[in-house]
Amino acid sequence: MDPNLRNLKDFLTLYNKITELCFGRCVDNFNGRVLSNTENICVNHCVNKFARFNQAMMKVYVEVQTQLNQKRLKELEEQQKLLDQKSLQLPISTTEQSAPLRTDQTITENLPA
């Protein structure tokens, strides 16, 4: 999925959840089209509280994710070092060791007459 499309989808999902949550908590009078003063204050507090919570969670997530990425990078570098050391220590394989080349004279001597 396109990253921009995914970000939009995540944003809309979050927006819908906040709307549903704050509406359910704060709106209790359906007699008018306009929110009462109490309902309006409640909705504002609800949205602000959720935004502060989300911001704090994202800050922690970024810090933890950065630490995990650094740890993974260090582990991968160590694995690469081990692989490099092993490749230097391996003996030459039998396919790389060539038998002495036979000269044309040896080849012609072995041909049937």
Side-chain angles (χ1 to χ4, degrees):
M1 178 181 283
D2 180 32
N4 291 330
L5 186 59
R6 181 174 171 97
N7 287 342
L8 178 62
K9 181 182 174 190
D10 291 344
F11 170 77
L12 292 174
T13 301
L14 183 63
Y15 176 81
N16 287 336
K17 285 182 182 181
I18 293 170
T19 302
E20 186 177 328
L21 177 76
C22 293
F23 182 86
R25 286 185 180 177
C26 299
V27 178
D28 56 0
N29 183 0
F30 297 102
N31 293 331
R33 291 180 158 216
V34 180
L35 293 176
S36 70
N37 194 33
T38 305
E39 291 172 332
N40 200 14
I41 291 170
C42 179
V43 168
N44 285 333
H45 285 296
C46 180
V47 170
N48 287 333
K49 183 179 180 180
F50 192 84
R52 284 192 311 269
F53 171 78
N54 192 38
Q55 187 177 25
M57 289 299 296
M58 290 305 294
K59 183 179 178 183
V60 170
Y61 172 78
V62 167
E63 290 172 359
V64 169
Q65 191 64 35
T66 301
Q67 291 171 355
L68 287 174
N69 288 342
Q70 289 173 347
K71 182 179 176 183
R72 286 183 192 144
L73 182 61
K74 186 176 179 181
E75 289 172 355
L76 288 173
E77 287 173 348
E78 289 173 1
Q79 287 177 353
Q80 187 62 43
K81 281 182 183 179
L82 289 174
L83 288 174
D84 290 345
Q85 288 174 354
K86 285 182 181 180
S87 68
L88 291 175
Q89 294 173 356
L90 287 177
I92 298 175
S93 69
T94 56
T95 58
E96 292 175 354
Q97 293 176 347
S98 58
L101 294 175
R102 299 189 326 179
T103 63
D104 288 339
Q105 183 182 7
T106 309
I107 294 172
T108 55
E109 288 174 358
N110 293 332
L111 288 176

